[in-house]
């Protein structure tokens, strides 16, 4: 009956107030559904985006679940519980910072570079420190700023080591030794701190005196040292060239001396044998042997000497040249004898 009255009212041109109120309520209810759907979609999107995180190849992450930290080292896509688990990423590549100069402007920072050496000289030394995070959990939780701690430790170790070396070593020949000592000291300090950061290397970029006059003086010293090294190298080269020649000459002299030694020994042995033979003859007839030795000696001293021998009876004098005693001038001695007889 109600539906019929409503239809009749619409036919007569009258408005059905009850029907309009119902349709308005229905339309109002449909409009309230759209924001709800949008809200649900937004919530789902927020949960979807907050439930995953990406770790790159040279990154590590710290997954924090209600205050408990856990390291995530595998690269790739990972899941987490939204609003309950949090993720903090740590870059594990080798990074670095400068000490004593500004990398961007390439200008010196005197507060960090000016140091004093063991011989009370001032010097400007610039360093570059390379580091990497070795433990992401300790890097996040062990300290507020591990890089700042590494910087302070590096400055302390650098000044300690530089203060134990003279200025000549800092500027010239001792750089490698200084770098090694500083690195060893920093590693020891970091091991004590255990803040999840690792020193890779520390190098001296530049070292110079604080003033231009002192710089020129040290350049002159360096030039002199290079000249000294050049002279030493040339001297060593000359020594290496001359030593084999001198050794060869020494060997030759030694061999000649050994040959002369053998010759003298053989000669002395022959003279000893000759003397022994002469002594045996001397024992047999001392007077004749003495005269013979006298004549031979005179022959050597005065080779042109003529010997005159008087016969025992005193009547005949015979001239004998000295060579006749050696058997080389027997003919001349005979002729001299005949002439004397006449």
């Amino acid at each position: 009956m109600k539906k019929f009255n409503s239809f009749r009212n619409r036919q007569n041109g009258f408005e059905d107030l009850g029907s309009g109120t119902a349709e308005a309520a229905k339309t109002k209810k449909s409009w309230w559904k759209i924001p709800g759907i949008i809200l649900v979609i937004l919530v789902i999107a927020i949960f979807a985006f907050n439930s995953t995180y990406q770790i790159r190849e040279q990154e590590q992450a710290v997954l924090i679940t209600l205050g408990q930290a856990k390291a995530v080292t595998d690269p790739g896509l990972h899941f987490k519980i939204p609003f309950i688990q949090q993720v903090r990423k740590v870059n594990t590549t080798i990074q670095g910072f400068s000490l004593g100069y500004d990398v961007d402007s390439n200008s010196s920072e005197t507060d960090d570079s000016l140091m004093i050496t063991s011989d009370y000289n001032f010097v400007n030394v610039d360093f570059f420190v390379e580091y990497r995070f070795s433990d992401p959990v300790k890097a996040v939780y062990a300290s507020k700023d591990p890089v700042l701690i590494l910087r302070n430790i590096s400055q302390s170790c650098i000044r300690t080591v530089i203060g134990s070396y003279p200025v000549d070593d800092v500027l010239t020949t001792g750089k490698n030794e200084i770098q090694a000592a500083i690195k060893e000291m920093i590693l020891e300090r970091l091991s004590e701190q255990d803040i999840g950061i690792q020193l890779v290397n520390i190098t001296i970029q530049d070292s110079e005196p604080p003033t231009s006059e002192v710089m020129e003086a040290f350049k002159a010293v360096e030039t002199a040292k290079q000249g000294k090294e050049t002279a030493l190298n040339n001297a060593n080269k000359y020594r290496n060239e001359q030593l084999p020649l001198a050794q060869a000459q020494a060997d030759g002299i030694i061999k000649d001396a050994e040959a002369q030694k053998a010759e003298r020994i053989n000669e002395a042995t022959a003279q000893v044998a000759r003397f022994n033979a002469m002594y045996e003859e001397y024992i047999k007839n001392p007077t004749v042997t003495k005269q013979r030795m006298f004549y031979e000696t005179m022959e050597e001293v005065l080779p042109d000497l003529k010997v005159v021998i008087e016969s025992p009876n005193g009547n005949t004098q015979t001239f004998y040249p000295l060579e006749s005693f050696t058997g080389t001038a027997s003919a001349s001695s005979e002729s001299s004898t005949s002439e004397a007889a006449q």
Side-chain angles (χ1 to χ4, degrees):
M1 188 66 181
K2 187 177 180 181
K3 291 182 180 179
F4 178 75
N5 292 334
S6 299
F7 177 73
R8 188 174 59 180
N9 291 335
R10 284 195 297 271
Q11 274 188 338
N12 295 330
F14 297 102
E15 183 179 358
D16 188 358
L17 296 177
S19 178
T21 303
E23 291 180 359
K26 186 176 180 180
T27 304
K28 185 176 180 181
K29 188 176 181 180
S30 64
W31 277 104
W32 277 103
K33 290 182 179 179
I34 295 175
I37 295 173
I38 295 174
L39 181 61
V40 172
I41 293 173
L42 288 176
V43 171
I44 294 174
I46 291 172
F47 272 87
F49 282 108
N50 286 329
S51 62
T52 61
Y53 60 95
Q54 180 77 22
I55 299 179
R56 295 185 178 89
E57 186 66 29
Q58 295 182 346
E59 283 183 343
Q60 291 183 5
V62 179
L63 183 62
I64 306 169
T65 306
L66 299 177
Q68 293 184 352
K70 176 184 177 182
V72 181
T73 59
D74 297 330
L77 185 65
H78 298 268
F79 294 93
K80 68 182 182 65
I81 302 174
F83 305 109
I84 296 178
Q85 292 181 323
Q86 297 179 356
V87 177
R88 295 184 62 178
K89 298 179 182 180
V90 177
N91 187 0
T92 58
T93 58
I94 296 177
Q95 306 174 65
F97 58 84
S98 61
L99 289 174
Y101 71 100
D102 188 1
V103 178
D104 297 330
S105 61
N106 199 21
S107 59
S108 179
E109 296 177 350
T110 309
D111 293 340
D112 293 334
S113 64
L114 187 60
M115 305 177 194
I116 188 170
T117 60
S118 62
D119 51 359
Y120 304 104
N121 286 300
F122 288 97
V123 62
N124 283 326
V125 188
D126 302 335
F127 287 86
F128 189 79
V129 181
E130 295 177 283
Y131 67 92
R132 61 182 294 272
F133 291 105
S134 57
D135 191 329
V137 176
K138 292 180 180 179
V140 172
Y141 279 96
S143 63
K144 182 179 180 181
D145 191 348
V147 178
L148 179 60
I149 295 176
L150 175 60
R151 186 182 188 92
N152 294 334
I153 291 176
S154 300
Q155 289 178 337
S156 174
C157 296
I158 286 171
R159 293 186 181 277
T160 301
V161 174
I162 293 294
S164 63
Y165 282 84
V167 67
D168 288 340
D169 292 344
V170 177
L171 296 176
T172 55
T173 58
K175 292 182 179 180
N176 293 331
E177 183 178 351
I178 291 173
Q179 290 177 172
I182 293 173
K183 183 176 182 180
E184 182 179 357
M185 186 176 295
I186 294 175
L187 290 174
E188 183 178 353
R189 297 276 185 88
L190 288 177
S191 178
E192 295 174 357
Q193 297 293 331
D194 195 18
I195 55 177
I197 194 170
Q198 177 185 2
L199 177 69
V200 178
N201 196 17
I202 181 169
T203 55
I204 296 177
Q205 298 297 306
D206 192 15
S207 59
E208 60 184 11
T211 61
S212 59
E213 293 81 4
V214 179
M215 189 182 303
E216 292 298 328
F218 276 106
K219 287 182 180 179
V221 172
E222 183 65 21
T223 302
K225 288 183 177 180
Q226 292 178 357
K228 174 185 175 182
E229 292 178 359
T230 302
L232 287 175
N233 293 334
N234 292 334
N236 291 330
K237 179 181 177 181
Y238 179 77
R239 181 189 64 182
N240 295 332
E241 292 176 352
Q242 295 299 319
L243 276 178
L245 179 61
Q247 187 65 40
Q249 292 178 352
D251 293 340
I253 293 173
I254 291 174
K255 290 180 180 179
D256 291 341
E258 290 177 351
Q260 291 181 7
K261 173 185 175 182
E263 182 180 356
R264 293 290 181 86
I265 291 174
N266 295 332
E267 183 179 355
T269 302
Q271 289 179 357
V272 169
R274 180 183 176 186
F275 179 81
N276 290 333
M278 188 179 296
Y279 181 71
E280 292 176 357
E281 295 297 328
Y282 174 77
I283 293 174
K284 295 177 181 179
N285 194 347
T287 302
V288 175
T289 305
K290 286 182 180 179
Q291 291 179 353
R292 180 181 176 184
M293 292 175 64
F294 172 77
Y295 294 147
E296 289 179 351
T297 303
M298 293 302 296
E299 180 183 11
E300 294 178 358
V301 176
L302 300 173
D304 297 331
L305 178 68
K306 299 298 182 178
V307 179
V308 178
I309 300 177
E310 184 179 0
S311 61
N313 55 12
N315 296 325
T316 304
Q317 294 182 347
T318 304
F319 296 91
Y320 287 94
L322 192 61
E323 290 82 359
S324 63
F325 292 96
T326 61
T328 58
S330 58
S332 60
S333 63
E334 290 178 359
S335 62
S336 299
T337 303
S338 62
E339 291 178 357
Q342 293 177 357

